[in-house]
Amino acid sequence: MAQLYFYYSAMNAGKSTSLLQSSYNYNERGMRTVIFTAEIDNRFEQGKVSSRIGLSAEALLYSTTTNMAELIKKENSEQKVHCVLIDECQFLTKKQVEELCDIVDNEDIPVLCYGLRTDFAGQLFEGSQYLLAWADKLVELKTVCYCGRKALMNPLMILVKIIKLRWIHILSYDQMVSRKINNQTTRCANSIFYTTLFTNSAPNYT
């Protein structure tokens, strides 16, 4: 019996690597997988799932208007689909998570979703909220903060032009990585809070 899985973590825990490994395991046994990734995610080449260690695979794009059930059923009618894998699943809508439940329950196709649980402010993404509620299996992928403890929060990068030819680069993680309030240390993010001022040119990250 097929199940809906939600693999969640903070950033840089190897979610895409795990997805690609799962897909490879199916393919190695002659089984077909269909991989999806969010159209909104343009960090790497669109139409591909890419990992930080150099692995990649072709993927179908989805947006908030995509009918996931219809698209997967179409793929399955053309050639048997043995597993569906979804990267950046935090960007799914409630309706799309319902559609994935339909695929699992009525088409008997396992669906493996990989994504963030919360945003930089600790708020649940819509897709993550309903996957936490409806997935058959929840699996946390762990990663490490710069302080050495388990990472829980995610970063927000903001680039603001403050005056002509002057830029400020702010990397904010729930306001600070490990701030103290009433002598109590808060949760760790997975990087360091810092502010750097660049003058006379836009920032160069190389």
Side-chain angles (χ1 to χ4, degrees):
M1 181 178 178
Q3 293 186 317
L4 175 61
Y5 296 81
F6 180 29
Y7 296 85
Y8 65 90
S9 73
M11 290 180 67
N12 294 345
K15 294 181 294 297
S16 296
T17 303
S18 180
L19 180 154
L20 293 168
Q21 180 65 62
S22 295
S23 180
Y24 179 82
N25 289 343
Y26 275 93
N27 298 158
E28 191 178 36
R29 291 158 179 78
M31 299 179 180
R32 182 186 179 215
T33 60
V34 174
I35 301 174
F36 289 89
T37 191
E39 186 178 306
I40 195 174
D41 182 17
N42 58 6
R43 294 171 299 164
F44 305 104
E45 184 179 349
Q46 279 206 316
K48 276 191 174 182
V49 170
S50 301
S51 73
R52 289 176 295 124
I53 64 172
L55 303 175
S56 65
E58 299 293 329
L60 300 176
L61 295 175
Y62 75 86
S63 67
T64 55
T65 60
T66 303
N67 187 315
M68 300 298 288
E70 186 178 281
L71 191 51
I72 294 167
K73 288 175 183 178
K74 179 176 179 294
E75 289 287 330
N76 194 43
S77 68
E78 294 173 355
Q79 183 183 349
K80 172 66 178 174
V81 174
H82 295 90
C83 183
V84 173
L85 303 104
I86 302 177
D87 199 29
E88 306 298 339
C89 65
Q90 68 269 15
F91 297 121
L92 292 167
T93 64
K94 177 183 178 181
K95 183 174 184 296
Q96 288 170 329
V97 177
E98 289 177 334
E99 291 165 357
L100 295 176
C101 291
D102 172 62
I103 291 297
V104 169
D105 295 339
N106 298 316
E107 302 298 319
D108 198 31
I109 300 173
V111 177
L112 282 59
C113 297
Y114 297 78
L116 301 176
R117 181 180 56 176
T118 59
D119 62 17
F120 77 99
Q123 300 296 312
L124 289 169
F125 287 96
E126 181 178 355
S128 304
Q129 176 183 347
Y130 290 101
L131 284 166
L132 285 169
W134 297 334
D136 299 296
K137 294 286 176 64
L138 301 174
V139 182
E140 183 179 16
L141 302 177
K142 298 178 178 64
T143 190
V144 181
C145 173
Y146 275 78
C147 73
R149 293 184 293 176
K150 174 183 167 185
L152 296 174
M153 303 301 292
N154 295 302
L156 170 67
M157 184 178 289
I158 307 169
L159 186 63
V160 185
K161 187 173 183 180
I162 53 174
I163 7 179
K164 186 179 181 181
L165 297 181
R166 289 175 179 267
W167 298 71
I168 188 167
H169 176 216
I170 304 169
L171 197 54
S172 171
Y173 300 81
D174 193 29
Q175 297 180 348
M176 291 185 71
V177 173
S178 184
R179 67 186 188 277
K180 289 198 173 184
I181 300 175
N182 296 327
N183 295 320
Q184 297 297 315
T185 303
T186 63
R187 293 181 172 189
C188 279
N190 60 354
S191 193
I192 300 172
F193 175 91
Y194 66 91
T195 302
T196 306
L197 181 66
F198 295 85
T199 60
N200 299 324
S201 65
N204 180 0
Y205 299 111
T206 59

